[in-house]
Structure formats: C-alpha cells, structure tokens
Amino acid sequence: MPNTQIVIHSIKTLELNDQYNESNLDTDILDHLKDKKSRKLMSKQDKLGLMSAASSWKSANLKYDQDKVGIYFCVGILPFEDKHLTKLAEYSSVENHFDYYKFSTDGFNSMNPLLTFKCLPNMPLFHISYNLDITGRYFMTYPSSEDLICSLERAIEDIEYGDIDYAIIGGACDQQNILVRHHLNRISKRNLDLFPDCSGAITISKKSPVKGDIIIKSINSHYLVHNPIESTNQEVSNFGAVDFLFQIQNFIQSSSQSCTLSSGHSKIELEKYYE
Amino acid sequence: MSKVVVTGMGIVSPIGNRIETFLASLKNSQNGAGHVTRFETCELPTKIVCEVKDFNSDFRDVKISFAQEAARQAIKHANIEVMPNNSRLSIGIGLELFSMEDLVKVHRKLATDSDHKNMTFLNTPSDICCHLISKEHALSQSPLIHISACAAGSDAIGSAFLKIKRGQSDLILAGGTDSMINPMGLAGFCRIGAMTKKNDTPFLASNPFDKRRDGFLLGEGAGFLVLESLEHAQKRGAKILAEISGYGNSLDAYSISDPHPKGEGAIKCMERALKSAKLSPNDIDAISAHATGTPKNDPAESAAIRSVFKNNWQDIPVMATKSMIGHLISAAGAVETITSVLSLQNNFLHKTLNLEQIDSECELKHIIDSNQSFNGDHIIKNSFGFGGQNASLIISRYKG
C-alpha cells in the first residue's frame, strides 16, 4: 500500500464533573452493554473505560474481523470503592481495631462476591472485549504517561507486523477513589480537585491517509529511572495516560496543523494530513 | 528478526528460593502446601496455601522483595557486565497489598502520621517495585508493566520476546511477582468460590485434572528471566540456557468469571504462539499447562489442547506445576516458564502431584507416577487470566 501511515480514526474522552456525573454515566453505559444486568458487575473505572472505548470504536464505524482487533489499555491503581470498604471495616473490627475472627466471620459474610469483580484492575479489558466482540491481542497496564506510550508503541508494532488490523488504545482512572486520593495526597502538593474521574480512547490503523486524517508521526518515551518512594515532591504523572488522550482531542479540535504533545517525559508528534 | 534467548534466571517460590533448590524440588516432587502462617485464618473457608519459606522481606508487601531477589539472581546468573542502553524491565505484577489493619485505622480515623507513612495501600502501590528494579539494574527504558491477572507473568515474557524479536531491545529482564496471601486476598478468592477447601489435607489439596479437585491452592513468589537477542548474547559470550521462540495472546470475550467451555480463547493463543514460532502442532513435544485445579478451567484447557493438537494430543506429555507450588497468580507464568527451561536443560518433565483419578473431561497425556525423561525440543506454556485474558509461550531447546 503506497504511503500508508498510522492514522487515528476516532477519539472519545470523558470526564465526570457537575455537568456529566456518575449518574449520567450509569445511564449511558447501558447503550454499550450486551446484557444490561452486567452493569452491577462494573466498577466506576470499568464503566469509564468501556464508555470511551465503545464510543471511539463505534464512531470509527469499521468493518472488522474480531480476531484482528487489539485492545491496549491503561487503568488506575486500586479501584476499590469507599462504600464497600466502609462496610468491610465496620464488620471486621472490635473496639476500633481490626480483629481476625470478626473479619473471618462477619466481615467475610458482608463481602459481596461482586466486590471481587469490581476491584480487579484488569476488568475493563473484559468489559470492552465482551461488549465489542473483540478477541484479538491485548496489553493491559498502569496509567502513567509512560504506560500509554508503551501501549501505543505495542499497538503500532502489532499493526505493523500484521498481528492486528485495528487497535483501541485507551485509559480509565477512578481518581476520586478514597485510596487513590490518599496515595496522591502523599506524593503530590497539587490540589486533588485537579484529578477528576476520567477516561479516553482512540482507534487507530494503518492506511493511506486522506485530507483531514490525523497521523501519528512519532512517539517518544524518555524514562527517568527513579525511586518513587524518595521522590515525593516530583510532579505527579501517575494518570498521564488519560491526560495524553485529552491533549490529542484538543489538537483534533484545534486549527493547528501539527503538534508535539507531552506528558511526563514522553512525547507524541501528530499531524493533520492536508494533501 | 532476532532470535530471543534466555541467559539468566532467578526465583523465589514455595519450593525453593534459588534455581538450584527449585530444580531439586521439582525432581523430588516437593509439595509446597501448608497452613497459612502469616496471619490467623480463623473461620475463613480456606486455611491452606503455598507460602514462600525462609525469606525475610524488606517490605510489608512481600511481592516487592520477592521480585527484587529473583531479579538480582537472574542478573547475576546472566553474568552481565555492561547493561545495554536499550535494556528494560518487563513485569507481570499483582494488586497492591491491601492491609485490613490499615483500612480499619483509616475508617476509624485513628491513623497517625507514622501509620500513614507505613500504610501499604497508601504509599507502596505495587508498581513501585518496577522502578526500584529498573533503578538497581540500570534498565534504562520504560518498564513494561502487565496487570492481566493470571496471564500477566507470561504476557511479560511475551512482550519482552516481541520487543527483542522486533529489534527494539537487546536485553530485557522479564518475569512476574505476586502474593495475595493476606486476609483480603484470601477472603476475596474464597468469596467467589475459587479456592480449595481441603484444609485437613494441604498436601493433597492442589490436584489439577483430578476428579476430586475443588478449586485452586493459592501460592506466592517471583520468577525472572534475562532475555537477550542471540547476537547480543553471543557477542558477550553468554551461556545460553534456552530459546523463547513464540508468543501469542487472545481475549475470550465470553464471561467475566468462566472460561469458554471449549477453550476458544485458549485455542487462539496457542495457535498464535505456534504461528509466531513458525511451528506446527506436530512440533510441540510437551505442554506446561495452566492447570489451576478449578472445576471449570481444567476441562476448558483440556478441550483446547485436544483441539489444537488434534492429531497427536495423546502423545504430548502435560506438566501441571501448580500441583507442587499452587497458583502464583501474576507470577505463575514466569515461574512455570522457568520450570520449562529447567526441563529442557535437565532432560526431564516433572510429574503432576495428586493426580490419581483423571476427570474424563480432562483426558490428556498426564505425567502421573514418576518424572519422565525428555529429549524434546519445544514446550508450550499456557496461562489464562480471570476475565478472559490468555497467553501462550513456546520455550525451545537452544541448539547453537
């Protein structure tokens, strides 16, 4: 194929805020579920991930072989939800202290089996693959900007080597989560309101570009080896994966012809095809 | 494209914390099972696991220390003097340690500043381990972090294989680490009915493919392998232990909790691994099965194996390492890949423990009574994750 390049077919980003809240997400996610009842198995992170991935994939409107689509996804750390943890803590303590016997009886019995499905970080991958009927390759990783670069590099390599035709690359972060906020509070001096619940996804393939197509010209990851326990004052880039996707969306909506996006120490060079 | 070879290995496991002791335990059919010693199980339905023994951890989250130790062993074993500047870590890793004691303190608002500093789920997310290892061994590119549950260890080795084969790296330290032997981890698996309850007979509890299996036995540990391009390994005069010749992964897209009953996802990842290695099913000489010992997984994997190796499945011996060490979750694929390398190096396949009454749905060529001598060239290693993520690797004898 002459002049084939890696092209972004579509992008979807999502942020929970006053205008679009978790209740809206709970309703809208039903449009993407094969089985509506499966919503009860989904954490907020799962819903965010599926919402962006499904919206991006469907708007790309591609004819596909389910074995030749890959999913490359970044998710947050510890997607436990406070309401489950509050109940578990309540039923597992005696006189304000954790008690092994109480945990193994009342605490254990209070645990909804669904909690296990909701807290596993690889579950967004299941919900996306199941609801979109995708059985190709995958790469499931954490949510830093470097992790998104690794996901994007892997997706492009899998396309270049013919393992897949299309790739969905995305990320989902449940950052209002009590444990995540504890963690961020410890390592960052920044206002935690700057870390909303969010997700994003792009759909890419290799093709001959036409006018207006968004081309990925280059990706570059510069990894600074560090000890994260010692570097408590560094700028937090834990959730840079979704930050990158928001930047891509902003570029697409702008009048700029090209740009270099950066998050953490990583860069993506994009260009709008105009010939 | 480059050939990918193994030049070093390191291990922390329920049956040995050095490669030499792990090998001796495999040969002697050592069983790593026992009662939980790390905390009081009280009334939890499962009270038995396969714990790592004789190991002092610097971290409350023991899988970080397991990984550091196994990584050091592997780097030392590979005898690397100068780390190439495109080296990296590829790791499969489990969830952060979720401490119930910390949780209760937080919810009761009793945690002091000192408590907060030491809280595992607040200040040591498990990916810290990746950066610590990268720093210690001067691995200079972004770590490839895999969180695909029970497939993560094999995915980590597979990703490293692809990076080297495709000319992106000369050397990658690849493996996995995990421990869910903590109150929340054990209780979570119990709550979904995935674990064995044979508390009175821990040595008989992990019995993959047997009619009497009732769930998996939880294990813990870490395994790392140094993978290099053949050219890089030869240039520095490294001893080559084996070759990684194929990798494939797949998504089930079937059920949140169950594998496809005919193993369709498992079939796809095995076929993709064979294609990647440019091998046919007839070329495979042994199988290192995922073999968890759960009622649904073992028949699905057996069906998948019979489907892929339809002409000769009766002739291909199957190892189930989890019968000795339990299920190491995100470390399972890595430790079982080390088992396959040791099988090729030492010309034997270990027997599967506790397999006396083969389930009719699990009919395969099992290794039952004693270890088997082995002079084959290719072993396929399966790992299947909760949520339908599947990975297969092919480990091959290096013939120079």
Side-chain angles (χ1 to χ4, degrees):
Chain A
M1 221 187 295
N3 186 31
T4 54
Q5 305 206 46
I6 297 294
V7 167
I8 299 175
H9 289 270
S10 60
I11 182 164
K12 175 69 181 178
T13 58
L14 183 63
E15 180 181 323
L16 298 189
N17 51 36
D18 292 341
Q19 283 75 47
Y20 189 86
N21 59 30
E22 196 173 355
S23 175
N24 300 121
L25 177 64
D26 261 353
T27 304
D28 290 350
I29 198 68
L30 293 172
D31 291 341
H32 300 296
L33 298 179
K34 281 193 208 171
D35 171 10
K36 310 294 182 208
K37 290 180 186 170
S38 67
R39 185 175 64 178
K40 69 182 179 199
L41 300 170
M42 300 177 79
S43 67
K44 182 164 51 172
Q45 183 164 269
D46 296 334
K47 292 172 197 164
L48 285 164
L50 175 59
M51 193 72 196
S52 285
S55 301
S56 171
W57 178 244
K58 289 174 182 175
S59 68
N61 194 27
L62 301 161
K63 288 183 180 172
Y64 68 102
D65 169 353
Q66 66 174 170
D67 284 339
K68 297 284 275 182
V69 185
I71 306 172
Y72 306 78
F73 219 77
C74 308
V75 295
I77 297 165
L78 283 168
F80 284 99
E81 292 177 18
D82 195 29
K83 60 185 175 187
H84 297 298
L85 297 180
T86 300
K87 190 174 173 188
L88 188 59
E90 179 72 31
Y91 282 93
S92 303
S93 54
V94 174
E95 294 177 353
N96 289 334
H97 293 287
F98 175 70
D99 182 88
Y100 282 102
Y101 184 82
K102 192 94 185 320
F103 170 72
S104 73
T105 52
D106 296 347
F108 180 74
N109 291 325
S110 78
M111 287 170 71
N112 187 328
L114 300 183
L115 177 64
T116 305
F117 297 107
K118 288 185 171 187
C119 74
L120 291 174
N122 64 324
M123 280 299 138
L125 193 50
F126 165 73
H127 292 292
I128 297 167
S129 63
Y130 175 73
N131 287 295
L132 302 182
D133 281 322
I134 289 171
T135 54
R137 314 293 171 128
Y138 66 85
F139 177 63
M140 186 78 217
T141 192
Y142 272 140
S144 74
S145 53
E146 288 82 8
D147 295 323
L148 183 82
I149 292 289
C150 289
S151 304
L152 193 52
E153 282 179 339
R154 173 67 174 277
I156 291 172
E157 286 167 17
D158 284 355
I159 290 171
E160 297 278 6
Y161 282 88
D163 290 340
I164 54 167
D165 298 327
Y166 302 107
I168 300 169
I169 303 107
C173 296
D174 171 4
Q175 300 185 94
Q176 295 292 317
N177 178 308
I178 180 177
L179 301 180
V180 173
R181 293 184 85 74
H182 267 291
H183 176 59
L184 290 174
N185 195 32
R186 191 191 67 81
I187 63 172
S188 173
K189 304 295 180 201
R190 293 166 70 185
N191 180 353
L192 293 183
D193 290 339
L194 295 172
F195 300 99
D197 297 332
C198 54
S199 65
I202 57 174
T203 300
I204 68 169
S205 77
K206 192 174 186 184
K207 65 182 277 260
S208 297
V210 297
K211 189 175 180 183
D213 276 349
I214 309 299
I215 298 165
I216 300 176
K217 298 294 286 184
S218 69
I219 47 180
N220 183 272
S221 174
H222 178 65
Y223 175 59
L224 278 183
V225 179
H226 63 288
N227 179 342
I229 296 174
E230 292 169 356
S231 53
T232 52
N233 289 320
Q234 69 168 8
E235 185 173 319
V236 176
S237 64
N238 280 30
F239 300 92
V242 181
D243 180 45
F244 250 137
L245 296 164
F246 272 89
Q247 289 189 55
I248 292 172
Q249 173 127 347
N250 289 340
F251 165 67
I252 291 171
Q253 291 169 346
S254 75
S255 57
S256 304
Q257 284 301 308
S258 62
C259 72
T260 301
L261 308 176
S262 64
S263 181
H265 304 287
S266 304
K267 290 183 169 57
I268 302 175
E269 194 183 359
L270 300 176
E271 186 178 282
K272 289 176 184 163
Y273 191 76
Y274 55 88
E275 285 181 6
Chain B
M1 289 203 278
S2 301
K3 280 194 169 189
V4 181
V5 294
V6 180
T7 57
M9 299 192 292
I11 199 162
V12 173
S13 84
I15 57 169
N17 299 337
R18 313 286 300 178
I19 289 293
E20 298 78 14
T21 49
F22 181 71
L23 172 61
S25 296
L26 290 177
K27 285 182 172 174
N28 297 328
S29 304
Q30 188 80 32
N31 191 320
H35 286 90
V36 176
T37 63
R38 204 167 291 155
F39 60 92
E40 297 172 46
T41 53
C42 299
E43 300 299 316
L44 288 178
T46 296
K47 307 173 196 304
I48 53 174
V49 291
C50 286
E51 289 179 338
V52 165
K53 288 94 180 165
D54 305 319
F55 187 92
N56 294 317
S57 175
D58 294 333
F59 287 88
R60 283 177 70 193
D61 190 349
V62 292
K63 66 176 164 291
I64 298 176
S65 294
F66 292 164
Q68 289 176 310
E69 169 60 22
R72 284 180 197 125
Q73 288 178 29
I75 294 287
K76 186 177 178 189
H77 189 197
N79 197 24
I80 302 163
E81 290 179 1
V82 181
M83 194 60 78
N85 61 12
N86 60 4
S87 62
R88 71 197 317 166
L89 173 72
S90 182
I91 185 170
I93 193 161
L95 288 168
E96 290 73 23
L97 171 61
F98 191 93
S99 163
M100 283 303 302
E101 291 95 331
D102 292 351
L103 175 69
V104 169
K105 280 184 183 172
V106 167
H107 275 273
R108 298 293 187 193
K109 302 194 186 322
L110 293 171
T112 63
D113 286 348
S114 171
D115 287 332
H116 276 289
K117 283 180 184 169
N118 292 316
M119 284 183 179
T120 52
F121 58 79
L122 304 184
N123 74 359
T124 60
S126 56
D127 64 336
I128 280 179
C129 161
C130 313
H131 304 293
L132 293 176
I133 292 172
S134 292
K135 184 179 184 188
E136 180 175 346
H137 301 292
L139 302 166
S140 55
Q141 294 194 340
S142 297
L144 303 170
I145 305 172
H146 301 75
I147 54 170
S148 44
C150 314
S154 288
D155 277 326
I157 295 167
S159 288
F161 163 77
L162 292 177
K163 281 282 175 199
I164 295 170
K165 185 183 173 188
R166 293 169 174 175
Q168 307 290 321
S169 289
D170 289 317
L171 185 151
I172 298 182
L173 176 64
T177 187
D178 212 344
S179 176
M180 292 191 73
I181 301 179
N182 58 71
M184 188 68 165
L186 193 64
F189 281 128
C190 285
R191 204 71 187 95
I192 57 171
M195 297 189 68
T196 178
K197 294 175 187 167
K198 294 176 183 167
N199 295 316
D200 296 334
T201 53
F203 277 17
L204 304 176
S206 183
N207 42 4
F209 303 120
D210 193 285
K211 277 181 191 170
R212 302 162 299 170
R213 70 189 185 283
D214 67 339
F216 73 81
L217 182 65
L218 188 59
E220 62 178 358
F224 279 91
L225 302 90
V226 174
L227 305 189
E228 293 182 66
S229 67
L230 177 61
E231 299 76 23
H232 189 268
Q234 285 177 328
K235 194 173 173 183
R236 69 180 190 87
K239 181 182 177 186
I240 294 170
L241 311 176
E243 182 183 347
I244 305 294
S245 55
Y247 164 62
N249 71 8
S250 72
L251 294 156
D252 269 5
Y254 175 72
S255 161
I256 197 166
S257 57
D258 298 338
H260 189 285
K262 291 181 182 173
E264 284 190 2
I267 290 169
K268 283 175 182 166
C269 73
M270 283 190 273
E271 289 179 342
R272 288 170 189 173
L274 287 165
K275 185 180 177 189
S276 153
K278 296 187 171 69
L279 294 173
S280 79
N282 292 334
D283 294 320
I284 295 298
D285 301 302
I287 297 167
S288 170
H290 186 54
T292 54
T294 56
K296 289 180 179 171
N297 283 342
D298 291 359
E301 182 174 17
S302 300
I305 289 170
R306 291 193 296 267
S307 175
V308 172
F309 302 97
K310 52 178 82 71
N311 296 324
N312 58 336
W313 64 265
Q314 287 111 326
D315 302 324
I316 306 176
V318 175
M319 291 188 286
T321 306
K322 289 183 183 71
S323 67
M324 294 184 193
I325 62 174
H327 191 347
L328 273 57
I329 313 295
S330 296
V335 168
E336 292 164 18
T337 297
I338 289 172
T339 302
S340 296
V341 173
L342 292 171
S343 297
L344 289 162
Q345 281 189 291
N346 296 278
N347 301 309
F348 84 106
L349 302 173
H350 72 73
K351 72 173 184 178
T352 295
L353 304 190
N354 305 322
L355 182 50
E356 294 170 1
Q357 301 173 32
I358 298 170
D359 186 330
S360 59
E361 290 188 273
C362 299
E363 201 181 333
L364 295 168
K365 188 182 180 188
H366 297 292
I367 307 167
I368 299 173
D369 296 323
S370 59
N371 297 338
Q372 182 176 315
S373 64
F374 179 65
N375 58 9
D377 291 334
H378 305 289
I379 301 174
I380 193 165
K381 158 87 227 106
N382 290 334
S383 295
F384 308 131
F386 201 63
Q389 290 134 53
N390 315 295
S392 292
L393 295 163
I394 296 177
I395 304 101
S396 302
R397 191 180 296 276
Y398 178 68
K399 292 186 170 175

